[in-house]
Amino acid sequence: DSGVTQTPKHLITATGQRVTLRCSPRSGDLSVYWYQQSLDQGLQFLIQYYNGEERAKGNILERFSAQQFPDLHSELNLSSLELGDSALYFCASSSAWDNHEQYFGPGTRLTVT
Amino acid sequence: GQNIDQPTEMTATEGAIVQINCTYQTSGFNGLFWYQQHAGEAPTFLSYNVLDGLEEKGRFSSFLSRSKGYSYLLLKELQMKDSASYLCAPQRDSGNTPLVFGKGTRLSVIA
C-alpha cells in the first residue's frame, strides 16, 4: 500500500459525458502527478501540482483539467469524453517538487462506451 | 526531446538471472528511475541511479552509465511474482521537467 488513494476504482460512462477522478496523496506529500496509461501508449504524464500550484504540464488535452486543493487532495476532470479516453488514470505523489521517488495510487479504470 | 528504448518483451526461467536494458537520449540528465508494474496495478519504485555504477538492493540491482546513455536492471533468483513490466524513466534537468517513462519491458517468468 503506497499511501496514495484514488476514487473511484472503476468508472463506466458514455461518450460526451464528464467525470471527476479524485486523489489523496500520501500524508506529508506536497506534489501530485496525474498519468494516463492506455494499452498502446504506456504511462503518459498529464500534469503536476505542488502545494496547490500547477508545476508542470504534459500532454494533457484541453478537455481535461485538474486542481489541487488546500488539503492537498487533487481532482482530475475529464469532459466531452471520447472512446479514446478509456484508460487507467494514475495519481502519484512525492514529498518534493522535483520528481524524485513517486508513490502511485491504485488507479482509476475509465471505460467510455 | 527524449528517446527511451527498452525491449518490449522478455522471458526467463524461475531461479535464473535476467538483465533488462534501457538506452536513452535526453537533453539534460539528472538520474534514472526503474519502476515495476504488475498488470493492472500501480507502478512501484525499484531504484534511482544518479552516479555511474551498480547499485544492489536485494535480488534487484541497477546499473547506470551516464556517458553511454545506458542503464540496466538485473534481477537474480527469479520468482514467478517477478512477472511484470519494468519501466525505465530518465530524469531531466534536476527534476524541473516531468518524468518520461519508457513503454516498459514485459517480463514473463516461466517454470
Side-chain angles (χ1 to χ4, degrees):
Chain A
D1 184 354
S2 67
V4 179
T5 60
Q6 287 186 251
T7 56
K9 284 190 177 179
H10 301 277
L11 198 49
I12 301 174
T13 189
T15 54
Q17 295 298 304
R18 173 190 169 95
V19 297
T20 297
L21 312 184
R22 183 188 167 104
C23 167
S24 292
R26 287 189 323 157
S27 177
D29 282 358
L30 299 179
S31 260
V32 168
Y33 310 79
W34 286 99
Y35 293 88
Q36 179 192 57
Q37 188 174 41
S38 50
L39 280 174
D40 56 344
Q41 288 296 320
L43 199 61
Q44 300 287 316
F45 169 76
L46 295 177
I47 198 164
Q48 177 198 1
Y49 281 83
Y50 176 76
N51 203 21
E53 300 288 327
E54 183 183 301
R55 174 83 194 165
K57 220 169 190 176
N59 298 322
I60 188 167
L61 300 170
E62 285 192 14
R63 301 183 285 110
F64 296 0
S65 64
Q67 55 184 325
Q68 186 179 29
F69 295 87
D71 68 352
L72 301 177
H73 90 272
S74 178
E75 293 181 355
L76 178 67
N77 301 296
L78 315 176
S79 62
S80 303
L81 285 168
E82 302 174 0
L83 294 178
D85 298 327
S86 296
L88 259 174
Y89 290 84
F90 287 107
C91 164
S93 74
S94 68
S95 56
W97 55 267
D98 62 351
N99 285 302
H100 207 64
E101 185 177 342
Q102 295 180 28
Y103 295 85
F104 282 78
T108 293
R109 183 173 292 281
L110 174 66
T111 302
V112 182
T113 62
Chain B
Q2 197 160 355
N3 291 319
I4 304 166
D5 192 30
Q6 301 180 237
T8 305
E9 293 188 10
M10 298 182 72
T11 301
T13 306
E14 196 175 13
I17 300 172
V18 71
Q19 178 174 312
I20 301 174
N21 296 324
C22 171
T23 57
Y24 60 89
Q25 293 173 321
T26 181
S27 53
F29 178 80
N30 195 57
L32 187 138
F33 291 89
W34 282 97
Y35 280 80
Q36 179 193 59
Q37 185 178 25
H38 287 97
E41 297 183 11
T44 55
F45 171 82
L46 288 178
S47 66
Y48 176 60
N49 292 63
V50 176
L51 303 176
D52 284 356
L54 186 69
E55 293 203 6
E56 299 187 58
K57 194 188 289 186
R59 294 190 299 115
F60 292 9
S61 303
S62 55
F63 172 84
L64 177 67
S65 168
R66 296 173 69 109
S67 62
K68 295 182 179 177
Y70 169 66
S71 174
Y72 68 72
L73 184 67
L74 193 70
L75 290 75
K76 303 176 188 174
E77 300 168 18
L78 280 172
Q79 302 175 9
M80 301 299 283
K81 67 178 182 179
D82 298 329
S83 294
S85 287
Y86 292 85
L87 312 177
C88 165
Q91 182 190 35
R92 293 171 56 193
D93 300 336
S94 301
N96 282 325
T97 50
L99 273 184
V100 176
F101 286 83
K103 291 195 172 182
T105 298
R106 188 182 311 156
L107 173 66
S108 298
V109 179
I110 58 175

